[in-house]
Amino acid sequence: RPGAFVSPFSYEHFVRAELAEIHGDLRQAAEEYRLARAGPEDDTFVIARLADVVDRLGREEEAVQLLAQGDQMDPDDESIWLTRGRIHERHGRMEDAAEAFARAAGTAPSSEAGPLALASVMRERGDPAEADAVLARYLARARGAGAARARLALAIDHRDPLAAAEAVRSLLEAAPTRADEVRGAATTALDGDQPELALRLLAALP
């Protein structure tokens, strides 16, 4: 969280948890996130990460309890609402997921995470017009990397290689470290039988 004190102990275990998660060791990740919470101050972001891992381990009830703890700390925390949405989505509860992602978008108007997640759920529900509207409302106020990510999502959904390439260039200008995200989008395009779009995305990389 912005402005929150993070002790060296908590930071070390948070990093260890992230690395364990990257390597697919969810049990170790959960243990490290628990240790990260044992520092001088608890943190809603760590709680959210722990809840997501616990749910992926098949312990949804425990994940829900963790998110409730996060609500007690801050009922308007974006990370808690995003994780709640992901858990609902993972279990096929699309209406609940949409509500959670909409709440996340409302708690952090400048962040692209909520609108992108909400638009994705809208498309999964078969409502592309509403998905476009969600991103359009966000783009009306967005700037920088967040706006570029939203434009990239729109371009991919509309199978528009030129708009996707332009969005990638804007994204990398605002956030050069997002190259892996662009490669992931190219993989998604290939999986969706959009080879021209994938090629444009990769060609836009430096």
Side-chain angles (χ1 to χ4, degrees):
R1 288 179 297 130
F5 170 74
V6 181
S7 71
F9 174 87
S10 294
Y11 183 73
E12 176 185 347
H13 286 288
F14 181 82
V15 172
R16 289 181 182 276
E18 295 274 281
L19 291 173
E21 200 170 345
I22 288 171
H23 289 95
D25 190 345
L26 297 183
R27 293 186 183 282
Q28 184 63 32
E31 180 60 27
E32 295 293 346
Y33 282 132
R34 291 186 200 284
L35 288 170
R37 291 187 66 192
E41 291 190 26
D42 207 348
D43 190 283
T44 51
F45 185 72
V46 178
I47 292 173
R49 296 302 294 265
L50 174 59
D52 185 67
V53 167
V54 165
D55 180 66
R56 287 155 63 194
L57 285 168
R59 305 201 299 267
E60 184 186 2
E61 185 176 346
E62 182 181 347
V64 169
Q65 292 171 355
L66 286 164
L67 293 176
Q69 293 174 23
D71 286 334
Q72 291 176 353
M73 291 178 61
D74 183 356
D76 293 319
D77 183 82
E78 180 194 25
S79 62
I80 294 294
W81 283 103
L82 285 172
T83 298
R84 183 173 282 119
R86 292 188 191 104
I87 290 174
H88 284 313
E89 185 177 13
R90 189 175 292 135
H91 294 279
R93 299 186 294 265
M94 293 306 178
E95 291 290 338
D96 292 333
E99 289 181 14
F101 289 142
R103 182 67 181 269
T107 62
S110 63
S111 171
E112 74 273 20
L116 285 172
L118 178 56
S120 177
V121 166
M122 292 298 181
R123 292 194 192 283
E124 288 185 54
R125 289 171 51 187
D127 194 351
E130 182 57 30
D132 287 352
V134 167
L135 293 179
R137 287 193 293 270
Y138 172 69
L139 283 168
R141 63 178 184 272
R143 299 290 184 273
R149 289 189 74 206
R151 287 198 299 272
L152 178 58
L154 271 173
I156 291 173
D157 290 332
H158 287 270
R159 308 173 78 92
D160 187 336
L162 293 177
E166 182 179 345
V168 166
R169 284 191 289 269
S170 297
L171 176 60
L172 295 179
E173 285 176 7
T177 58
R178 296 286 183 95
D180 284 345
E181 185 174 331
V182 175
R183 294 186 186 94
T187 299
T188 299
L190 278 175
D191 291 343
D193 195 27
Q194 300 183 64
E196 182 185 355
L197 177 54
L199 184 60
R200 288 274 188 175
L201 291 172
L202 293 175
L205 288 170

